[in-house]
Amino acid sequence: MATLEIHDLHVSVEADNGPQEILRGVNLTVKQGETHAIMGPNGSGKSTLAYSLAGHPKYTVTGGTVTLDGENVLEMSVDERARAGVFLAMQYPVEVPGVSVSNFLRTSATAIRGEAPKLRLWVKEVKAAMERLSIDPVFAERNVNEGFSGGEKKRHEILQLELLRPKIAVLDETDSGLDVDALRVVSDGVNRVRESGEVGTLLITHYTRILRYIKPDFVHVFAHGRIAESGGAELADKLENEGYEAYVKGGATS
Amino acid sequence: MAENTPAGSTTDGAIQVGGAPQPIDARVSAPASYDVADFPVPHGREEEWRFTPLERLRGLHDGTAEAKGGLRIDVDAPEGVTVETVDRQDPRLGRAGKPVDRVAAQAYSAFEKASVISVPKDTVLTEPVRIGVHGEGGVAFAHQVIELGAFAEALVVIDHTGDATLAANVEFVVGDGAKLTVVSVQDWDDEAVHVAQHTALVGRDASFKSVIVTFGGDLVRLQPRITYAGPGGEAELYGLYFTDDGQHQEHRLFVDHDAPHCRSNVVYKGALQGQGAHAVWIGDVLIRAAAEGTDTYELNRNLVLTDGARVDSVPNLEIETGEIVGAGHASATGRFDDEQLFYLMARGIPADEARRLVVRGFFAELVQQIGIPDVEERLLTKIEAELEASVG
């Protein structure tokens, strides 16, 4: 069973006045089949955790370990991490001019699966996945994320999640900027992947709204670059009623 | 992509409607002429020379270049095509248009023999005419005329290889109702210098399609120019360039809409990588008062793959009549940036493959315009090789 273990993770970014520590000792274990919600105020380091796990070059790991089934994730390049089974659904997916969605998806699936999917089956697979996410088939011929609305970008991220079937899925504020209908479509997509029981999900969000559709097994409150409190789904209800104030107080935060 | 313009690049085009302070054809430092003596030696600040590193022209611009080099021209033409080598006095030379700058006039004043390739009227070729221009080092001046009679149809591939310091004029005289496609591949060795004017005279209801593919050379400066001999003509000008470390590749287009109901469509795309890679694209379109019913569009896109490369992209559209179907231009220079690379890699795609995916996608629509499978294949191979060099 796949397990992602984050131990005492420290991460810095380069700021105008030198390196600034964003993550200050994160400990978290995510197992296949589990869903962990990471909630926290703006600037608490949630997105930094997501990008650090995927290996974004902007973030420097200054201490701690991240392993996937015992393998050192931090030593892997970005593409190696993806092929090892780590998937990051991005908050702000990037436009890639000149590359069509269909070409992108096939190239990516080929890289992740280690062989090119059989064309006939692949076309069916993509078509079905797009239908489930209410994505217009013409999207296949559009350039990746170019001119997509916010909701279309998020659905495109979840489409990739469904097709690439990672071991660990990190969803970075996938709910932000979505209206209720789009949120439901996207959540249904995430739930389909979760129901397979083969993915460990790290759901990073600012709001409790998405947790009505995606039920977490664990909720962690993130503050000042580390996990301040952990609990079950009931912790989300507490946050819904009381907000983050109890965690923001007493520490410098943006 | 426009918001992502790399430092040092320009995209400062203009659209001028009527009464322009400095019309396109007045921005040059001397009127067009066959005689090199009619042009002053450029010093580099002239509008038409301001982007070109004159010191790398090896004297083509100042009269010091002497024609001592070797240039081999092989023409492989299907049946029905006449291929001739003619003297300077041949009346078929110089009909498409005059040289517009000093180097083109130098070439016109200095060539000894010219090639004339003629496709008789009503002849429709099913195989391309292939012209191999192979440089064997040193300075050469060349002149070629490709002529299609009325309603003839032909596809011509001009393939430049080897090492040369070449100044040349190529004329295309396209008869009424004829269709000519020309693919000019600049696949020079690293040291080559190539400056050429491609002048097309497009007949009534004729179509001319030019595909310029520039990869090699130290300095390549090409000037495709279009004039219309009658109404109803159509010109499609496509270009694709891959500018590497230290290379200067300059494409200066001029479409002179002087006849009514003609069309022109320009699409040039370039990828750049490496220190000192410099691409220049000038797209001048002039719609004269007589050219009612004109429909024109020009587009230049550049993809900068690494730091240290520079693009100057300048579309100019000048309109002297309001009675047109359409006129427009666009220029954009973007980077293949770290965020795009991260996004593709985060989906398991290795860095070199990610770069290849983006560049192939960027060029795909243009490669398809060539319409000759072996040239398309060679081009894709070439693009791969250029990319290998960048990541290796």
Side-chain angles (χ1 to χ4, degrees):
Chain A
M1 189 163 70
T3 305
L4 180 78
E5 286 190 87
I6 304 168
H7 178 67
D8 195 26
L9 185 66
H10 289 254
V11 171
S12 296
V13 292
E14 202 56 46
D16 291 340
N17 48 356
Q20 190 190 351
E21 187 166 57
I22 307 281
L23 298 187
R24 301 182 171 104
V26 177
N27 292 292
L28 182 65
T29 300
V30 180
K31 295 193 172 108
Q32 222 167 4
E34 294 177 352
T35 299
H36 295 248
I38 293 194
M39 309 196 56
N42 287 331
S44 59
K46 305 184 304 280
S47 283
T48 299
L49 176 63
Y51 278 91
S52 302
L53 293 175
H56 194 287
K58 188 174 141 194
Y59 301 96
T60 309
V61 175
T62 54
T65 58
V66 178
T67 58
L68 179 61
D69 298 335
E71 297 284 324
N72 184 349
V73 171
L74 298 177
E75 275 185 357
M76 300 178 193
S77 62
V78 176
D79 53 317
E80 284 169 348
R81 293 179 196 207
R83 293 198 296 273
V86 179
F87 178 88
L88 169 63
M90 297 189 201
Q91 186 181 358
Y92 302 109
V94 181
E95 296 186 5
V96 190
V99 178
S100 70
V101 167
S102 74
N103 190 8
F104 166 66
L105 292 176
R106 191 167 160 80
T107 307
S108 173
T110 302
I112 299 273
R113 297 179 188 182
E115 59 176 355
K118 291 211 165 49
L119 193 58
R120 200 168 49 83
L121 299 174
W122 173 248
V123 169
K124 265 191 200 160
E125 191 182 343
V126 172
K127 203 174 153 220
M130 286 177 80
E131 257 172 37
R132 288 196 297 268
L133 287 163
S134 309
I135 298 175
D136 190 324
V138 300
F139 266 71
E141 296 318 313
R142 288 176 59 179
N143 289 334
V144 172
N145 293 319
E146 205 176 52
F148 288 21
S149 70
E152 288 164 347
K153 283 182 181 170
K154 296 298 171 70
R155 274 184 281 171
H156 181 233
E157 293 293 287
I158 301 308
L159 173 66
Q160 295 166 53
L161 171 68
E162 288 207 52
L163 292 170
L164 300 177
R165 297 183 219 117
K167 291 177 183 160
I168 301 292
V170 182
L171 310 179
D172 185 17
E173 306 214 11
T174 295
D175 52 334
S176 68
L178 295 183
D179 62 26
V180 172
D181 291 339
L183 182 62
R184 191 172 292 129
V185 169
V186 162
S187 300
D188 288 349
V190 174
N191 285 331
R192 276 192 297 275
V193 175
R194 287 196 321 143
E195 277 158 19
S196 71
E198 287 169 2
V199 65
T201 307
L202 200 54
L203 185 67
I204 293 174
T205 180
H206 184 78
Y207 305 103
T208 50
R209 192 176 59 143
I210 193 171
L211 303 184
R212 285 176 223 152
Y213 302 97
I214 302 173
K215 292 288 172 205
D217 304 304
F218 306 94
V219 173
H220 310 277
V221 184
F222 221 72
H224 310 308
R226 62 169 74 95
I227 291 172
E229 188 176 354
S230 297
E234 75 288 347
L235 182 53
D237 299 331
K238 184 183 153 201
L239 291 170
E240 172 80 33
N241 296 325
E242 297 173 15
Y244 294 118
E245 264 168 54
Y247 305 98
V248 174
K249 268 186 225 157
T253 179
S254 51
Chain B
M1 298 212 316
E3 72 280 2
N4 199 10
T5 304
S9 297
T10 58
T11 53
D12 55 348
I15 297 183
Q16 295 170 332
V17 180
Q22 207 187 10
I24 283 169
D25 56 347
R27 281 204 315 258
V28 292
S29 44
S33 167
Y34 297 109
D35 187 355
V36 65
D38 289 341
F39 294 87
V41 173
H43 45 69
R45 288 184 299 280
E46 301 82 355
E47 178 59 33
E48 72 269 36
W49 290 108
R50 67 185 175 110
F51 295 114
T52 313
L54 298 177
E55 71 283 0
R56 282 158 63 185
L57 285 174
R58 302 211 185 114
L60 289 175
H61 65 299
D62 61 10
T64 59
E66 282 183 62
K68 288 180 177 164
L71 192 72
R72 202 178 71 226
I73 298 178
D74 301 309
V75 181
D76 179 9
E79 208 170 316
V81 179
T82 314
V83 180
E84 296 163 84
T85 302
V86 303
D87 290 327
R88 295 183 53 84
Q89 292 74 26
D90 193 286
R92 290 170 295 179
L93 308 186
R95 286 173 301 157
K98 294 175 184 173
V100 296
D101 67 26
R102 167 121 185 158
V103 175
Q106 177 69 68
Y108 203 96
S109 300
F111 75 87
E112 287 176 1
K113 297 277 184 188
S115 315
V116 176
I117 295 165
S118 316
V119 183
K121 70 181 171 81
D122 297 320
T123 304
V124 176
L125 301 182
T126 53
E127 288 294 309
V129 177
R130 292 175 190 266
I131 305 172
V133 178
H134 186 76
E136 290 163 340
V139 175
F141 299 103
H143 195 101
Q144 287 152 346
V145 177
I146 292 155
E147 180 174 14
L148 265 64
F151 300 103
E153 292 182 22
L155 207 158
V156 177
V157 182
I158 310 175
D159 195 357
H160 300 90
T161 54
D163 175 28
T165 299
L166 173 64
N169 287 284
V170 186
E171 298 181 59
F172 306 104
V173 181
V174 188
D176 291 350
K179 283 188 168 64
L180 173 60
T181 297
V182 177
V183 181
S184 179
V185 181
Q186 286 64 244
D187 190 9
W188 295 108
D189 292 350
D190 290 344
E191 322 77 66
V193 172
H194 181 200
V195 183
Q197 180 174 326
H198 288 189
T199 313
L201 181 63
V202 180
R204 184 190 175 104
D205 299 324
S207 340
F208 174 70
K209 177 162 133 181
S210 150
V211 184
I212 300 277
V213 180
T214 303
F215 278 100
D218 174 60
L219 186 155
V220 174
R221 177 182 147 117
L222 301 181
Q223 298 201 73
R225 297 175 66 85
I226 304 292
T227 46
Y228 297 90
E234 180 174 71
E236 292 173 276
L237 306 176
Y238 300 110
L240 188 162
Y241 45 92
F242 202 121
T243 317
D244 260 330
D245 295 319
Q247 283 185 314
H248 178 94
Q249 295 177 344
E250 181 166 349
H251 299 91
R252 312 179 63 90
L253 291 89
F254 179 53
V255 182
D256 189 352
H257 277 283
D258 47 0
H261 303 292
C262 292
R263 287 189 301 276
S264 61
N265 182 40
V266 178
V267 182
Y268 269 63
K269 286 187 168 191
L272 294 91
Q273 65 184 13
Q275 279 300 321
H278 188 193
V280 178
W281 181 84
I282 311 291
D284 289 339
V285 174
L286 172 60
I287 304 174
R288 296 185 193 265
E292 291 184 356
T294 293
D295 191 0
T296 177
Y297 193 77
E298 53 172 350
L299 169 73
N300 176 227
R301 280 192 183 280
N302 295 286
L303 178 63
V304 177
L305 297 169
T306 68
D307 288 337
R310 179 189 165 96
V311 177
D312 290 288
S313 173
V314 188
N316 291 298
L317 179 56
E318 192 184 320
I319 306 172
E320 294 175 355
T321 172
E323 303 296 312
I324 59 171
V325 175
H329 70 193
S331 164
T333 297
R335 294 179 58 94
F336 176 55
D337 63 24
D338 294 343
E339 294 301 325
Q340 292 170 358
L341 184 62
F342 173 73
Y343 188 75
L344 295 172
M345 289 178 74
R347 299 303 178 248
I349 302 168
D352 55 346
E353 198 178 339
R355 206 170 268 117
R356 202 176 299 144
L357 191 68
V358 167
V359 173
R360 284 188 83 132
F362 179 71
F363 282 133
E365 56 163 347
L366 278 179
V367 172
Q368 288 160 9
Q369 286 295 337
I370 295 172
I372 307 173
D374 66 279
V375 177
E376 288 179 8
E377 193 49 46
R378 180 166 142 216
L379 204 61
L380 290 173
T381 310
K382 206 81 197 170
I383 292 172
E384 304 278 313
E386 297 270 0
L387 287 168
E388 291 292 321
S390 81
V391 292

